[in-house]
Amino acid sequence: MPDNTSNAPAFNLEAAHRHFAADCFNRAWDLIDKEERTLEDEEEMLHLSMASLWHWSQRPDCGDKERSIGYWQVARIFAITGRPDMATAYAQKCLEATENTDLPPFYLGYAYEALARAAMAGNDHEAAMRYVGKARAAAQQEASEEDREILLDDLATIV
């Protein structure tokens, strides 16, 4: 009978997923904030966000909130790198992960924010404004004033 223990990693896999989910997300965010990105930066940013989402999906504590945030970041990166179809696909996944959950309205607002950015990336201003309106409505339902303001400030950068 073969020895299956030789396939076991020499490190704590759960801890590795925990580390890389956060590290890749934060490194992608640093590139989002970078004022002048190269094409290499854009590809790295996309790879990092996809890696973060994958590592989150491997964690036992991955729930609607983590999926929503991961899909949101991937959608945002596709939008800012001019890939509206992929931005829309991941924004829709963000919305699906957020709708009909117990998450605060902040997360639903950001799902609509992602859809708005995807629409803007595809030059569909009418759809973008429709999603901005839905995001603002979600923001008005948010109990946390700080979260509401963060969302509204982000929405102001779309129009």
Side-chain angles (χ1 to χ4, degrees):
M1 181 163 258
D3 179 13
N4 289 333
T5 59
S6 63
N7 291 334
F11 53 87
N12 181 316
L13 189 56
E14 190 172 321
H17 287 308
R18 190 170 42 253
H19 168 79
F20 286 114
D23 182 63
C24 291
F25 183 92
N26 292 334
R27 289 175 51 204
W29 193 259
D30 288 343
L31 289 168
I32 289 171
D33 284 343
K34 188 174 178 182
E35 289 191 25
E36 292 186 32
R37 287 184 298 272
T38 65
L39 288 176
E40 291 80 14
D41 290 337
E42 289 186 353
E43 286 302 306
E44 181 177 0
M45 184 171 54
L46 179 58
H47 294 160
L48 286 165
S49 69
M50 295 293 275
S52 172
L53 178 59
W54 184 81
H55 282 288
W56 263 112
S57 75
Q58 302 305 298
R59 292 175 54 168
D61 60 341
C62 182
D64 296 327
K65 176 182 173 183
E66 292 77 20
R67 279 188 292 279
S68 175
I69 293 168
Y71 289 138
W72 171 83
Q73 188 184 58
V74 172
R76 176 105 177 222
I77 290 169
F78 274 127
I80 64 178
T81 59
R83 300 168 187 169
D85 292 342
M86 293 302 294
T88 300
Y90 278 90
Q92 187 62 44
K93 287 178 178 287
C94 178
L95 182 62
E96 291 166 5
T98 307
E99 284 182 317
N100 304 314
T101 67
D102 292 332
L103 292 175
F106 175 82
Y107 295 95
L108 181 60
Y110 266 101
Y112 287 124
E113 183 266 357
L115 285 161
R117 286 190 192 278
M120 287 298 282
N123 293 313
D124 187 345
H125 299 283
E126 184 178 320
M129 292 305 99
R130 192 170 53 250
Y131 290 127
V132 166
K134 289 181 177 199
R136 285 185 179 138
Q140 295 312 312
Q141 300 300 314
E142 177 54 53
S144 165
E145 184 177 338
E146 180 181 354
D147 286 348
R148 184 172 50 252
E149 290 303 317
I150 290 169
L151 175 55
L152 290 172
D153 287 349
D154 266 351
L155 291 171
T157 68
I158 296 174
V159 292

